[in-house]
PDB file of all heavy atoms in Angstrom:
ATOM      1  N   SER A   1      -4.222  14.180  15.433  1.00  0.00           N
ATOM      2  CA  SER A   1      -4.243  15.073  16.585  1.00  0.00           C
ATOM      3  C   SER A   1      -3.839  16.468  16.129  1.00  0.00           C
ATOM      4  O   SER A   1      -3.475  16.686  14.976  1.00  0.00           O
ATOM      5  CB  SER A   1      -3.288  14.563  17.667  1.00  0.00           C
ATOM      6  OG  SER A   1      -1.969  14.496  17.160  1.00  0.00           O
ATOM      7  N   GLU A   2      -3.891  17.431  17.030  1.00  0.00           N
ATOM      8  CA  GLU A   2      -3.608  18.816  16.677  1.00  0.00           C
ATOM      9  C   GLU A   2      -2.198  19.011  16.123  1.00  0.00           C
ATOM     10  O   GLU A   2      -1.966  19.857  15.266  1.00  0.00           O
ATOM     11  CB  GLU A   2      -3.811  19.725  17.886  1.00  0.00           C
ATOM     12  CG  GLU A   2      -5.271  20.059  18.163  1.00  0.00           C
ATOM     13  CD  GLU A   2      -5.934  20.787  17.000  1.00  0.00           C
ATOM     14  OE1 GLU A   2      -5.305  21.701  16.434  1.00  0.00           O
ATOM     15  OE2 GLU A   2      -7.064  20.422  16.648  1.00  0.00           O
ATOM     16  N   ASP A   3      -1.243  18.199  16.600  1.00  0.00           N
ATOM     17  CA  ASP A   3       0.133  18.356  16.128  1.00  0.00           C
ATOM     18  C   ASP A   3       0.402  17.570  14.849  1.00  0.00           C
ATOM     19  O   ASP A   3       1.539  17.526  14.375  1.00  0.00           O
ATOM     20  CB  ASP A   3       1.125  17.965  17.222  1.00  0.00           C
ATOM     21  CG  ASP A   3       1.068  16.475  17.568  1.00  0.00           C
ATOM     22  OD1 ASP A   3       0.230  15.740  16.982  1.00  0.00           O
ATOM     23  OD2 ASP A   3       1.859  16.046  18.432  1.00  0.00           O
ATOM     24  N   GLY A   4      -0.639  16.933  14.293  1.00  0.00           N
ATOM     25  CA  GLY A   4      -0.482  16.211  13.044  1.00  0.00           C
ATOM     26  C   GLY A   4      -0.181  14.734  13.201  1.00  0.00           C
ATOM     27  O   GLY A   4      -0.094  14.009  12.201  1.00  0.00           O
ATOM     28  N   THR A   5      -0.015  14.267  14.421  1.00  0.00           N
ATOM     29  CA  THR A   5       0.207  12.834  14.643  1.00  0.00           C
ATOM     30  C   THR A   5      -1.049  12.057  14.279  1.00  0.00           C
ATOM     31  O   THR A   5      -2.158  12.408  14.704  1.00  0.00           O
ATOM     32  CB  THR A   5       0.576  12.557  16.109  1.00  0.00           C
ATOM     33  OG1 THR A   5       1.754  13.297  16.448  1.00  0.00           O
ATOM     34  CG2 THR A   5       0.818  11.074  16.342  1.00  0.00           C
ATOM     35  N   ILE A   6      -0.895  11.020  13.482  1.00  0.00           N
ATOM     36  CA  ILE A   6      -2.031  10.196  13.065  1.00  0.00           C
ATOM     37  C   ILE A   6      -2.221   9.089  14.088  1.00  0.00           C
ATOM     38  O   ILE A   6      -1.289   8.334  14.401  1.00  0.00           O
ATOM     39  CB  ILE A   6      -1.807   9.623  11.657  1.00  0.00           C
ATOM     40  CG1 ILE A   6      -1.647  10.768  10.644  1.00  0.00           C
ATOM     41  CG2 ILE A   6      -2.958   8.709  11.251  1.00  0.00           C
ATOM     42  CD1 ILE A   6      -1.168  10.329   9.278  1.00  0.00           C
ATOM     43  N   GLU A   7      -3.417   9.000  14.626  1.00  0.00           N
ATOM     44  CA  GLU A   7      -3.731   8.026  15.665  1.00  0.00           C
ATOM     45  C   GLU A   7      -4.552   6.873  15.083  1.00  0.00           C
ATOM     46  O   GLU A   7      -5.286   7.062  14.101  1.00  0.00           O
ATOM     47  CB  GLU A   7      -4.535   8.692  16.790  1.00  0.00           C
ATOM     48  CG  GLU A   7      -3.898   9.939  17.382  1.00  0.00           C
ATOM     49  CD  GLU A   7      -2.741   9.631  18.298  1.00  0.00           C
ATOM     50  OE1 GLU A   7      -2.505   8.434  18.578  1.00  0.00           O
ATOM     51  OE2 GLU A   7      -2.068  10.579  18.737  1.00  0.00           O
ATOM     52  N   PRO A   8      -4.461   5.668  15.676  1.00  0.00           N
ATOM     53  CA  PRO A   8      -5.417   4.616  15.308  1.00  0.00           C
ATOM     54  C   PRO A   8      -6.822   5.138  15.582  1.00  0.00           C
ATOM     55  O   PRO A   8      -7.054   5.804  16.599  1.00  0.00           O
ATOM     56  CB  PRO A   8      -5.045   3.465  16.242  1.00  0.00           C
ATOM     57  CG  PRO A   8      -3.638   3.747  16.661  1.00  0.00           C
ATOM     58  CD  PRO A   8      -3.500   5.233  16.704  1.00  0.00           C
ATOM     59  N   TRP A   9      -7.747   4.824  14.696  1.00  0.00           N
ATOM     60  CA  TRP A   9      -9.060   5.477  14.796  1.00  0.00           C
ATOM     61  C   TRP A   9     -10.132   4.598  14.170  1.00  0.00           C
ATOM     62  O   TRP A   9      -9.897   3.897  13.175  1.00  0.00           O
ATOM     63  CB  TRP A   9      -8.996   6.826  14.065  1.00  0.00           C
ATOM     64  CG  TRP A   9     -10.175   7.730  14.248  1.00  0.00           C
ATOM     65  CD1 TRP A   9     -10.333   8.677  15.200  1.00  0.00           C
ATOM     66  CD2 TRP A   9     -11.357   7.783  13.437  1.00  0.00           C
ATOM     67  NE1 TRP A   9     -11.544   9.314  15.047  1.00  0.00           N
ATOM     68  CE2 TRP A   9     -12.193   8.782  13.971  1.00  0.00           C
ATOM     69  CE3 TRP A   9     -11.794   7.067  12.315  1.00  0.00           C
ATOM     70  CZ2 TRP A   9     -13.446   9.092  13.422  1.00  0.00           C
ATOM     71  CZ3 TRP A   9     -13.030   7.355  11.764  1.00  0.00           C
ATOM     72  CH2 TRP A   9     -13.843   8.370  12.313  1.00  0.00           C
ATOM     73  N   SER A  10     -11.324   4.636  14.736  1.00  0.00           N
ATOM     74  CA  SER A  10     -12.477   3.992  14.118  1.00  0.00           C
ATOM     75  C   SER A  10     -13.738   4.716  14.573  1.00  0.00           C
ATOM     76  O   SER A  10     -13.783   5.272  15.673  1.00  0.00           O
ATOM     77  CB  SER A  10     -12.567   2.509  14.488  1.00  0.00           C
ATOM     78  OG  SER A  10     -12.795   2.350  15.877  1.00  0.00           O
ATOM     79  N   GLY A  11     -14.734   4.726  13.702  1.00  0.00           N
ATOM     80  CA  GLY A  11     -15.985   5.386  14.041  1.00  0.00           C
ATOM     81  C   GLY A  11     -16.601   6.051  12.836  1.00  0.00           C
ATOM     82  O   GLY A  11     -16.270   5.736  11.689  1.00  0.00           O
ATOM     83  N   ALA A  12     -17.516   6.978  13.103  1.00  0.00           N
ATOM     84  CA  ALA A  12     -18.205   7.710  12.039  1.00  0.00           C
ATOM     85  C   ALA A  12     -17.641   9.124  11.969  1.00  0.00           C
ATOM     86  O   ALA A  12     -17.447   9.776  12.993  1.00  0.00           O
ATOM     87  CB  ALA A  12     -19.701   7.756  12.315  1.00  0.00           C
ATOM     88  N   THR A  13     -17.367   9.567  10.752  1.00  0.00           N
ATOM     89  CA  THR A  13     -16.885  10.926  10.567  1.00  0.00           C
ATOM     90  C   THR A  13     -17.823  11.702   9.653  1.00  0.00           C
ATOM     91  O   THR A  13     -18.304  11.175   8.644  1.00  0.00           O
ATOM     92  CB  THR A  13     -15.453  10.962   9.982  1.00  0.00           C
ATOM     93  OG1 THR A  13     -15.062  12.335   9.800  1.00  0.00           O
ATOM     94  CG2 THR A  13     -15.366  10.239   8.647  1.00  0.00           C
ATOM     95  N   GLY A  14     -18.060  12.945  10.030  1.00  0.00           N
ATOM     96  CA  GLY A  14     -18.830  13.846   9.188  1.00  0.00           C
ATOM     97  C   GLY A  14     -18.024  15.101   8.940  1.00  0.00           C
ATOM     98  O   GLY A  14     -18.599  16.172   8.756  1.00  0.00           O
ATOM     99  N   ILE A  15     -16.701  14.956   8.899  1.00  0.00           N
ATOM    100  CA  ILE A  15     -15.821  16.111   8.739  1.00  0.00           C
ATOM    101  C   ILE A  15     -16.131  16.840   7.435  1.00  0.00           C
ATOM    102  O   ILE A  15     -16.287  16.232   6.386  1.00  0.00           O
ATOM    103  CB  ILE A  15     -14.340  15.675   8.801  1.00  0.00           C
ATOM    104  CG1 ILE A  15     -13.424  16.893   8.834  1.00  0.00           C
ATOM    105  CG2 ILE A  15     -13.979  14.737   7.666  1.00  0.00           C
ATOM    106  CD1 ILE A  15     -11.964  16.548   9.122  1.00  0.00           C
ATOM    107  N   PHE A  16     -16.248  18.147   7.525  1.00  0.00           N
ATOM    108  CA  PHE A  16     -16.604  19.007   6.386  1.00  0.00           C
ATOM    109  C   PHE A  16     -15.478  20.021   6.231  1.00  0.00           C
ATOM    110  O   PHE A  16     -15.291  20.884   7.091  1.00  0.00           O
ATOM    111  CB  PHE A  16     -17.949  19.687   6.662  1.00  0.00           C
ATOM    112  CG  PHE A  16     -18.448  20.586   5.553  1.00  0.00           C
ATOM    113  CD1 PHE A  16     -18.081  20.375   4.232  1.00  0.00           C
ATOM    114  CD2 PHE A  16     -19.301  21.639   5.844  1.00  0.00           C
ATOM    115  CE1 PHE A  16     -18.546  21.200   3.226  1.00  0.00           C
ATOM    116  CE2 PHE A  16     -19.779  22.471   4.843  1.00  0.00           C
ATOM    117  CZ  PHE A  16     -19.394  22.252   3.524  1.00  0.00           C
ATOM    118  N   ILE A  17     -14.729  19.906   5.153  1.00  0.00           N
ATOM    119  CA  ILE A  17     -13.529  20.708   4.958  1.00  0.00           C
ATOM    120  C   ILE A  17     -13.781  21.787   3.920  1.00  0.00           C
ATOM    121  O   ILE A  17     -14.136  21.491   2.771  1.00  0.00           O
ATOM    122  CB  ILE A  17     -12.351  19.812   4.546  1.00  0.00           C
ATOM    123  CG1 ILE A  17     -12.023  18.828   5.677  1.00  0.00           C
ATOM    124  CG2 ILE A  17     -11.127  20.663   4.196  1.00  0.00           C
ATOM    125  CD1 ILE A  17     -10.951  17.817   5.325  1.00  0.00           C
ATOM    126  N   THR A  18     -13.592  23.026   4.315  1.00  0.00           N
ATOM    127  CA  THR A  18     -13.783  24.176   3.433  1.00  0.00           C
ATOM    128  C   THR A  18     -12.572  25.097   3.545  1.00  0.00           C
ATOM    129  O   THR A  18     -11.740  24.940   4.448  1.00  0.00           O
ATOM    130  CB  THR A  18     -15.062  24.954   3.805  1.00  0.00           C
ATOM    131  OG1 THR A  18     -14.963  25.394   5.173  1.00  0.00           O
ATOM    132  CG2 THR A  18     -16.305  24.080   3.659  1.00  0.00           C
ATOM    133  N   PRO A  19     -12.408  26.052   2.615  1.00  0.00           N
ATOM    134  CA  PRO A  19     -11.264  26.962   2.687  1.00  0.00           C
ATOM    135  C   PRO A  19     -11.123  27.609   4.060  1.00  0.00           C
ATOM    136  O   PRO A  19     -12.107  28.012   4.681  1.00  0.00           O
ATOM    137  CB  PRO A  19     -11.581  27.991   1.603  1.00  0.00           C
ATOM    138  CG  PRO A  19     -12.326  27.194   0.570  1.00  0.00           C
ATOM    139  CD  PRO A  19     -13.197  26.266   1.379  1.00  0.00           C
ATOM    140  N   GLY A  20      -9.882  27.663   4.528  1.00  0.00           N
ATOM    141  CA  GLY A  20      -9.583  28.135   5.869  1.00  0.00           C
ATOM    142  C   GLY A  20      -9.199  27.009   6.803  1.00  0.00           C
ATOM    143  O   GLY A  20      -8.621  27.239   7.871  1.00  0.00           O
ATOM    144  N   TYR A  21      -9.497  25.769   6.391  1.00  0.00           N
ATOM    145  CA  TYR A  21      -9.134  24.605   7.199  1.00  0.00           C
ATOM    146  C   TYR A  21      -7.618  24.411   7.176  1.00  0.00           C
ATOM    147  O   TYR A  21      -6.973  24.562   6.132  1.00  0.00           O
ATOM    148  CB  TYR A  21      -9.831  23.368   6.633  1.00  0.00           C
ATOM    149  CG  TYR A  21      -9.549  22.089   7.394  1.00  0.00           C
ATOM    150  CD1 TYR A  21     -10.322  21.724   8.479  1.00  0.00           C
ATOM    151  CD2 TYR A  21      -8.500  21.256   7.011  1.00  0.00           C
ATOM    152  CE1 TYR A  21     -10.065  20.548   9.181  1.00  0.00           C
ATOM    153  CE2 TYR A  21      -8.227  20.083   7.697  1.00  0.00           C
ATOM    154  CZ  TYR A  21      -9.016  19.734   8.787  1.00  0.00           C
ATOM    155  OH  TYR A  21      -8.750  18.576   9.480  1.00  0.00           O
ATOM    156  N   ARG A  22      -7.039  24.056   8.304  1.00  0.00           N
ATOM    157  CA  ARG A  22      -5.598  23.783   8.390  1.00  0.00           C
ATOM    158  C   ARG A  22      -5.352  22.283   8.321  1.00  0.00           C
ATOM    159  O   ARG A  22      -5.704  21.551   9.235  1.00  0.00           O
ATOM    160  CB  ARG A  22      -5.022  24.355   9.692  1.00  0.00           C
ATOM    161  CG  ARG A  22      -3.504  24.154   9.824  1.00  0.00           C
ATOM    162  CD  ARG A  22      -2.992  24.763  11.111  1.00  0.00           C
ATOM    163  NE  ARG A  22      -3.515  24.071  12.288  1.00  0.00           N
ATOM    164  CZ  ARG A  22      -2.970  22.964  12.815  1.00  0.00           C
ATOM    165  NH1 ARG A  22      -1.906  22.413  12.251  1.00  0.00           N
ATOM    166  NH2 ARG A  22      -3.504  22.424  13.893  1.00  0.00           N
ATOM    167  N   PHE A  23      -4.775  21.834   7.223  1.00  0.00           N
ATOM    168  CA  PHE A  23      -4.507  20.400   7.043  1.00  0.00           C
ATOM    169  C   PHE A  23      -3.331  19.971   7.907  1.00  0.00           C
ATOM    170  O   PHE A  23      -2.327  20.686   8.023  1.00  0.00           O
ATOM    171  CB  PHE A  23      -4.232  20.095   5.569  1.00  0.00           C
ATOM    172  CG  PHE A  23      -5.456  20.182   4.709  1.00  0.00           C
ATOM    173  CD1 PHE A  23      -5.801  21.388   4.097  1.00  0.00           C
ATOM    174  CD2 PHE A  23      -6.276  19.089   4.522  1.00  0.00           C
ATOM    175  CE1 PHE A  23      -6.934  21.485   3.311  1.00  0.00           C
ATOM    176  CE2 PHE A  23      -7.421  19.181   3.739  1.00  0.00           C
ATOM    177  CZ  PHE A  23      -7.752  20.383   3.133  1.00  0.00           C
ATOM    178  N   ARG A  24      -3.438  18.762   8.465  1.00  0.00           N
ATOM    179  CA  ARG A  24      -2.420  18.277   9.395  1.00  0.00           C
ATOM    180  C   ARG A  24      -1.682  17.044   8.889  1.00  0.00           C
ATOM    181  O   ARG A  24      -0.714  16.606   9.514  1.00  0.00           O
ATOM    182  CB  ARG A  24      -3.078  17.955  10.743  1.00  0.00           C
ATOM    183  CG  ARG A  24      -3.657  19.175  11.441  1.00  0.00           C
ATOM    184  CD  ARG A  24      -4.564  18.798  12.588  1.00  0.00           C
ATOM    185  NE  ARG A  24      -5.812  18.187  12.111  1.00  0.00           N
ATOM    186  CZ  ARG A  24      -6.781  17.754  12.907  1.00  0.00           C
ATOM    187  NH1 ARG A  24      -6.651  17.856  14.212  1.00  0.00           N
ATOM    188  NH2 ARG A  24      -7.878  17.235  12.397  1.00  0.00           N
ATOM    189  N   THR A  25      -2.141  16.450   7.792  1.00  0.00           N
ATOM    190  CA  THR A  25      -1.588  15.156   7.404  1.00  0.00           C
ATOM    191  C   THR A  25      -0.992  15.161   5.994  1.00  0.00           C
ATOM    192  O   THR A  25       0.221  15.089   5.841  1.00  0.00           O
ATOM    193  CB  THR A  25      -2.671  14.060   7.498  1.00  0.00           C
ATOM    194  OG1 THR A  25      -3.796  14.409   6.673  1.00  0.00           O
ATOM    195  CG2 THR A  25      -3.147  13.897   8.941  1.00  0.00           C
ATOM    196  N   ALA A  26      -1.804  15.256   4.962  1.00  0.00           N
ATOM    197  CA  ALA A  26      -1.344  15.030   3.594  1.00  0.00           C
ATOM    198  C   ALA A  26      -0.579  16.214   3.028  1.00  0.00           C
ATOM    199  O   ALA A  26      -0.906  17.378   3.284  1.00  0.00           O
ATOM    200  CB  ALA A  26      -2.524  14.702   2.689  1.00  0.00           C
ATOM    201  N   ASP A  27       0.431  15.891   2.228  1.00  0.00           N
ATOM    202  CA  ASP A  27       1.186  16.901   1.486  1.00  0.00           C
ATOM    203  C   ASP A  27       0.668  17.042   0.057  1.00  0.00           C
ATOM    204  O   ASP A  27       0.786  18.103  -0.549  1.00  0.00           O
ATOM    205  CB  ASP A  27       2.665  16.514   1.436  1.00  0.00           C
ATOM    206  CG  ASP A  27       3.254  16.357   2.828  1.00  0.00           C
ATOM    207  OD1 ASP A  27       3.503  17.384   3.471  1.00  0.00           O
ATOM    208  OD2 ASP A  27       3.455  15.203   3.262  1.00  0.00           O
ATOM    209  N   MET A  28       0.103  15.964  -0.473  1.00  0.00           N
ATOM    210  CA  MET A  28      -0.402  15.948  -1.840  1.00  0.00           C
ATOM    211  C   MET A  28      -1.692  15.136  -1.878  1.00  0.00           C
ATOM    212  O   MET A  28      -1.946  14.303  -1.005  1.00  0.00           O
ATOM    213  CB  MET A  28       0.638  15.354  -2.796  1.00  0.00           C
ATOM    214  CG  MET A  28       1.956  16.119  -2.806  1.00  0.00           C
ATOM    215  SD  MET A  28       3.333  15.134  -3.467  1.00  0.00           S
ATOM    216  CE  MET A  28       2.871  15.078  -5.193  1.00  0.00           C
ATOM    217  N   LEU A  29      -2.488  15.382  -2.910  1.00  0.00           N
ATOM    218  CA  LEU A  29      -3.779  14.720  -3.052  1.00  0.00           C
ATOM    219  C   LEU A  29      -4.003  14.364  -4.520  1.00  0.00           C
ATOM    220  O   LEU A  29      -3.889  15.219  -5.393  1.00  0.00           O
ATOM    221  CB  LEU A  29      -4.903  15.640  -2.564  1.00  0.00           C
ATOM    222  CG  LEU A  29      -6.351  15.198  -2.829  1.00  0.00           C
ATOM    223  CD1 LEU A  29      -6.676  13.920  -2.067  1.00  0.00           C
ATOM    224  CD2 LEU A  29      -7.328  16.314  -2.454  1.00  0.00           C
ATOM    225  N   ILE A  30      -4.305  13.094  -4.760  1.00  0.00           N
ATOM    226  CA  ILE A  30      -4.721  12.652  -6.090  1.00  0.00           C
ATOM    227  C   ILE A  30      -6.233  12.506  -6.062  1.00  0.00           C
ATOM    228  O   ILE A  30      -6.775  11.783  -5.218  1.00  0.00           O
ATOM    229  CB  ILE A  30      -4.068  11.307  -6.463  1.00  0.00           C
ATOM    230  CG1 ILE A  30      -2.537  11.434  -6.472  1.00  0.00           C
ATOM    231  CG2 ILE A  30      -4.560  10.829  -7.836  1.00  0.00           C
ATOM    232  CD1 ILE A  30      -1.812  10.096  -6.604  1.00  0.00           C
ATOM    233  N   THR A  31      -6.917  13.195  -6.957  1.00  0.00           N
ATOM    234  CA  THR A  31      -8.381  13.168  -6.929  1.00  0.00           C
ATOM    235  C   THR A  31      -8.932  13.456  -8.316  1.00  0.00           C
ATOM    236  O   THR A  31      -8.264  14.076  -9.148  1.00  0.00           O
ATOM    237  CB  THR A  31      -8.913  14.195  -5.906  1.00  0.00           C
ATOM    238  OG1 THR A  31     -10.331  14.107  -5.812  1.00  0.00           O
ATOM    239  CG2 THR A  31      -8.527  15.621  -6.295  1.00  0.00           C
ATOM    240  N   ASN A  32     -10.138  12.967  -8.562  1.00  0.00           N
ATOM    241  CA  ASN A  32     -10.807  13.248  -9.828  1.00  0.00           C
ATOM    242  C   ASN A  32     -11.380  14.671  -9.813  1.00  0.00           C
ATOM    243  O   ASN A  32     -11.239  15.398  -8.835  1.00  0.00           O
ATOM    244  CB  ASN A  32     -11.910  12.228 -10.078  1.00  0.00           C
ATOM    245  CG  ASN A  32     -11.358  10.885 -10.529  1.00  0.00           C
ATOM    246  OD1 ASN A  32     -10.177  10.604 -10.369  1.00  0.00           O
ATOM    247  ND2 ASN A  32     -12.217  10.047 -11.095  1.00  0.00           N
ATOM    248  N   PHE A  33     -12.049  15.047 -10.886  1.00  0.00           N
ATOM    249  CA  PHE A  33     -12.667  16.375 -10.979  1.00  0.00           C
ATOM    250  C   PHE A  33     -14.102  16.292 -10.474  1.00  0.00           C
ATOM    251  O   PHE A  33     -14.854  15.394 -10.865  1.00  0.00           O
ATOM    252  CB  PHE A  33     -12.617  16.874 -12.422  1.00  0.00           C
ATOM    253  CG  PHE A  33     -11.217  17.157 -12.892  1.00  0.00           C
ATOM    254  CD1 PHE A  33     -10.480  16.189 -13.552  1.00  0.00           C
ATOM    255  CD2 PHE A  33     -10.623  18.385 -12.638  1.00  0.00           C
ATOM    256  CE1 PHE A  33      -9.175  16.429 -13.965  1.00  0.00           C
ATOM    257  CE2 PHE A  33      -9.319  18.643 -13.046  1.00  0.00           C
ATOM    258  CZ  PHE A  33      -8.596  17.661 -13.709  1.00  0.00           C
ATOM    259  N   HIS A  34     -14.484  17.246  -9.638  1.00  0.00           N
ATOM    260  CA  HIS A  34     -15.731  17.153  -8.893  1.00  0.00           C
ATOM    261  C   HIS A  34     -16.816  18.103  -9.402  1.00  0.00           C
ATOM    262  O   HIS A  34     -16.554  19.011 -10.186  1.00  0.00           O
ATOM    263  CB  HIS A  34     -15.444  17.431  -7.413  1.00  0.00           C
ATOM    264  CG  HIS A  34     -14.394  16.530  -6.850  1.00  0.00           C
ATOM    265  ND1 HIS A  34     -14.582  15.178  -6.719  1.00  0.00           N
ATOM    266  CD2 HIS A  34     -13.123  16.792  -6.422  1.00  0.00           C
ATOM    267  CE1 HIS A  34     -13.488  14.630  -6.214  1.00  0.00           C
ATOM    268  NE2 HIS A  34     -12.577  15.584  -6.033  1.00  0.00           N
ATOM    269  N   LEU A  35     -18.028  17.881  -8.902  1.00  0.00           N
ATOM    270  CA  LEU A  35     -19.174  18.670  -9.318  1.00  0.00           C
ATOM    271  C   LEU A  35     -19.091  20.100  -8.801  1.00  0.00           C
ATOM    272  O   LEU A  35     -18.552  20.342  -7.722  1.00  0.00           O
ATOM    273  CB  LEU A  35     -20.481  18.049  -8.803  1.00  0.00           C
ATOM    274  CG  LEU A  35     -21.045  16.834  -9.528  1.00  0.00           C
ATOM    275  CD1 LEU A  35     -20.261  15.582  -9.195  1.00  0.00           C
ATOM    276  CD2 LEU A  35     -22.522  16.640  -9.160  1.00  0.00           C
ATOM    277  N   PRO A  36     -19.669  21.053  -9.550  1.00  0.00           N
ATOM    278  CA  PRO A  36     -19.748  22.422  -9.040  1.00  0.00           C
ATOM    279  C   PRO A  36     -20.604  22.484  -7.780  1.00  0.00           C
ATOM    280  O   PRO A  36     -21.554  21.727  -7.618  1.00  0.00           O
ATOM    281  CB  PRO A  36     -20.393  23.189 -10.195  1.00  0.00           C
ATOM    282  CG  PRO A  36     -21.072  22.159 -11.038  1.00  0.00           C
ATOM    283  CD  PRO A  36     -20.266  20.918 -10.897  1.00  0.00           C
ATOM    284  N   LYS A  37     -20.227  23.366  -6.864  1.00  0.00           N
ATOM    285  CA  LYS A  37     -20.935  23.597  -5.600  1.00  0.00           C
ATOM    286  C   LYS A  37     -21.023  22.343  -4.727  1.00  0.00           C
ATOM    287  O   LYS A  37     -21.907  22.244  -3.871  1.00  0.00           O
ATOM    288  CB  LYS A  37     -22.333  24.175  -5.852  1.00  0.00           C
ATOM    289  CG  LYS A  37     -22.302  25.547  -6.499  1.00  0.00           C
ATOM    290  CD  LYS A  37     -23.628  26.286  -6.393  1.00  0.00           C
ATOM    291  CE  LYS A  37     -24.730  25.657  -7.187  1.00  0.00           C
ATOM    292  NZ  LYS A  37     -25.969  26.482  -7.189  1.00  0.00           N
ATOM    293  N   SER A  38     -20.126  21.386  -4.948  1.00  0.00           N
ATOM    294  CA  SER A  38     -20.125  20.158  -4.152  1.00  0.00           C
ATOM    295  C   SER A  38     -19.167  20.290  -2.975  1.00  0.00           C
ATOM    296  O   SER A  38     -18.231  21.100  -2.985  1.00  0.00           O
ATOM    297  CB  SER A  38     -19.708  18.962  -5.015  1.00  0.00           C
ATOM    298  OG  SER A  38     -18.360  19.103  -5.444  1.00  0.00           O
ATOM    299  N   THR A  39     -19.378  19.468  -1.947  1.00  0.00           N
ATOM    300  CA  THR A  39     -18.487  19.487  -0.794  1.00  0.00           C
ATOM    301  C   THR A  39     -17.075  19.059  -1.185  1.00  0.00           C
ATOM    302  O   THR A  39     -16.100  19.471  -0.542  1.00  0.00           O
ATOM    303  CB  THR A  39     -19.014  18.571   0.321  1.00  0.00           C
ATOM    304  OG1 THR A  39     -19.105  17.225  -0.167  1.00  0.00           O
ATOM    305  CG2 THR A  39     -20.376  19.037   0.807  1.00  0.00           C
ATOM    306  N   LEU A  40     -16.940  18.263  -2.233  1.00  0.00           N
ATOM    307  CA  LEU A  40     -15.621  17.811  -2.654  1.00  0.00           C
ATOM    308  C   LEU A  40     -14.851  18.912  -3.379  1.00  0.00           C
ATOM    309  O   LEU A  40     -13.629  19.016  -3.239  1.00  0.00           O
ATOM    310  CB  LEU A  40     -15.741  16.557  -3.524  1.00  0.00           C
ATOM    311  CG  LEU A  40     -16.391  15.359  -2.826  1.00  0.00           C
ATOM    312  CD1 LEU A  40     -16.400  14.146  -3.731  1.00  0.00           C
ATOM    313  CD2 LEU A  40     -15.671  15.037  -1.513  1.00  0.00           C
ATOM    314  N   PHE A  41     -15.554  19.737  -4.160  1.00  0.00           N
ATOM    315  CA  PHE A  41     -14.858  20.875  -4.765  1.00  0.00           C
ATOM    316  C   PHE A  41     -14.454  21.873  -3.685  1.00  0.00           C
ATOM    317  O   PHE A  41     -13.417  22.528  -3.785  1.00  0.00           O
ATOM    318  CB  PHE A  41     -15.728  21.543  -5.826  1.00  0.00           C
ATOM    319  CG  PHE A  41     -15.026  22.656  -6.558  1.00  0.00           C
ATOM    320  CD1 PHE A  41     -13.869  22.414  -7.277  1.00  0.00           C
ATOM    321  CD2 PHE A  41     -15.496  23.961  -6.500  1.00  0.00           C
ATOM    322  CE1 PHE A  41     -13.197  23.441  -7.930  1.00  0.00           C
ATOM    323  CE2 PHE A  41     -14.837  24.992  -7.146  1.00  0.00           C
ATOM    324  CZ  PHE A  41     -13.677  24.730  -7.863  1.00  0.00           C
TER     325      PHE A  41
END
């Protein structure tokens, strides 16, 4: 939710996160190295 509370959830997500997005949940992220110009980078 907007205040960062994590709710039970199910469904389809197409969330697209780019610079300027305000994260509400995670403090740290473990991830591999991604492709150039990819949505993950």
Side-chain angles (χ1 to χ4, degrees):
S1 60
E2 281 299 316
D3 66 358
T5 302
I6 300 169
E7 306 285 353
W9 189 91
S10 65
T13 179
I15 188 171
F16 181 27
I17 297 175
T18 59
Y21 181 88
R22 182 179 66 85
F23 288 90
R24 295 167 290 180
T25 57
D27 302 285
M28 301 160 71
L29 171 65
I30 300 170
T31 184
N32 284 17
F33 293 93
H34 305 294
L35 282 75
K37 296 196 293 186
S38 65
T39 60
L40 299 183
F41 184 60

